[in-house]
Amino acid sequence: MSSVSRMRRRLSAVALSVATVVALLVVPLGSIASAASTACPPGEGPASCGLDISAPDTVVTFQTFTVQVSITTFVGEGVGPTLPSSDLCSPARVTLNVYKSDGEGGWNLPTSYTANASASVATFNISVSDDNYYKLTASAPTTATCSYDSNEAFFTAVFIPQTQPISPCPDNVVCTQVYNGLSTAATLFSDNGMFTDVGFGDATPGMTTACGGGALETKGVLTFNNTTSSGPKTVIFALAPNLVTKGIGLFNVCWSGPRADGTPFTGLLSACGKNATGPCVLFKKSNQKNVGFFGVLAPPGANDPSGYMK
């Protein structure tokens, strides 16, 4: 299956949800997640099990996001880790602690969640209220047959007003979200790599000329880097209703950056065709609240671009 086909399958779920994402969901802290069970195989003394946290790199304040903790079992030397497929000992009840940075190198007291694992994965739906740096830790109590190693992960929470539309992050991908402080937000994700230097700024003369000129929202140009991604990158722009002053089909994406083969490109993007490598437009959508969502496929590799809606 081609990279754009995989991206289209993932976007089919995202695109259905972005059309209605205006009010952000809030889950009360301290809740207990849904549960089933999993366990480690018996042996002489407790079997050694690992906990691995999967969480977004960036989340939006007050917006629910998913954290998953997978359980691996170390069967024996030379065998390596395996995922348990049946309940061979007591179910694993996983505790997830969410710590907020105190700004001085330490962490505030955590908010804790608990869940029993299902198919060797414990799933937590949580939210945070402050834009800050956070730490996650996962643990499970030792039983007569199982000993669980703790694990930790980190994420940053970004404040985006609840009135500002933004596309949600897909589960289990590298994702970053950013807001320009006015009426535009963007969600960026890829299968791997790390997004850095993500932000909105003003248009350059070369871009506006190549894209036909015209007025542009202040701080409306998105720039980013993810030079370590080996696959395509997806950007979903979200425009608040005050910017959607014409039909969605009349909007274009102005882009300045390399094509998949490395050759430079500056101008308006065309729609993605079959087996497209980008840069190209994946979709244009709106909803009854006149919110606009625009998906762009960016190619892998270095020299990431700048882009904006017009």
Side-chain angles (χ1 to χ4, degrees), residues 4 8 235 253 255 269-273 276-283 295-299:
V4 71
R8 286 185 188 278
V235 180
V253 180
W255 201 257
L269 294 182
S270 59
C272 294
T277 55
C280 56
V281 178
L282 289 163
F283 63 82
V296 177
L297 181 69

Side-chain angles (χ1 to χ4, degrees), residues 267-289:
L268 301 179
L269 294 182
S270 59
C272 294
K274 185 177 180 181
N275 299 322
T277 55
C280 56
V281 178
L282 289 163
F283 63 82
K284 304 175 185 179
K285 292 183 177 294
S286 62
N287 64 14
Q288 294 179 347
K289 297 182 182 295

Side-chain angles (χ1 to χ4, degrees), residues 51-294:
L51 301 175
D52 184 34
I53 300 174
S54 176
D57 293 320
T58 308
V59 304
V60 175
T61 56
F62 297 105
Q63 181 173 322
T64 301
F65 62 97
T66 299
V67 176
Q68 292 187 318
V69 180
S70 59
I71 302 169
T72 56
T73 303
F74 298 92
V75 178
E77 186 174 354
V79 177
T82 64
L83 293 175
S85 58
S86 61
D87 294 319
L88 299 178
C89 66
S90 300
R93 187 164 180 80
V94 179
T95 296
L96 182 74
N97 289 320
V98 184
Y99 296 85
K100 182 174 68 174
S101 171
D102 64 6
E104 299 178 353
W107 305 96
N108 293 326
L109 292 175
T111 299
S112 297
Y113 301 80
T114 58
N116 292 335
S118 175
S120 74
V121 177
T123 300
F124 303 85
N125 294 314
I126 66 177
S127 66
V128 294
S129 58
D130 297 325
D131 53 331
N132 209 320
Y133 188 55
Y134 290 83
K135 178 174 71 172
L136 299 169
T137 64
S139 62
T142 298
T143 67
T145 53
C146 301
S147 174
Y148 300 90
D149 296 331
S150 60
N151 187 233
E152 64 181 25
F154 301 87
F155 68 89
T156 301
V158 179
F159 171 73
I160 296 177
Q162 295 189 48
T163 55
Q164 169 62 43
I166 188 167
S167 172
C169 285
D171 292 338
N172 302 319
V173 298
V174 180
C175 183
T176 297
Q177 295 179 295
V178 63
Y179 169 54
N180 75 344
L182 297 168
S183 300
T184 302
T187 297
L188 305 87
F189 57 89
S190 66
D191 286 331
N192 50 42
M194 179 179 295
F195 288 99
T196 60
D197 303 321
V198 181
F200 282 96
D202 296 331
T204 63
M207 286 184 69
T208 53
T209 301
C211 294
L216 173 67
E217 180 192 20
T218 302
K219 296 184 178 179
V221 179
L222 174 72
T223 59
F224 66 92
N225 283 304
N226 186 350
T227 59
T228 56
S229 175
S230 59
K233 293 155 274 190
T234 300
V235 180
I236 302 178
F237 292 95
L239 303 189
N242 66 294
L243 292 184
V244 185
T245 57
K246 57 185 176 182
I248 290 299
L250 299 177
F251 277 88
N252 292 298
V253 180
C254 181
W255 201 257
S256 180
R259 297 183 177 91
D261 62 6
T263 59
F265 171 84
T266 299
L268 301 179
L269 294 182
S270 59
C272 294
K274 185 177 180 181
N275 299 322
T277 55
C280 56
V281 178
L282 289 163
F283 63 82
K284 304 175 185 179
K285 292 183 177 294
S286 62
N287 64 14
Q288 294 179 347
K289 297 182 182 295
N290 207 36
V291 171
F293 293 96
F294 306 87

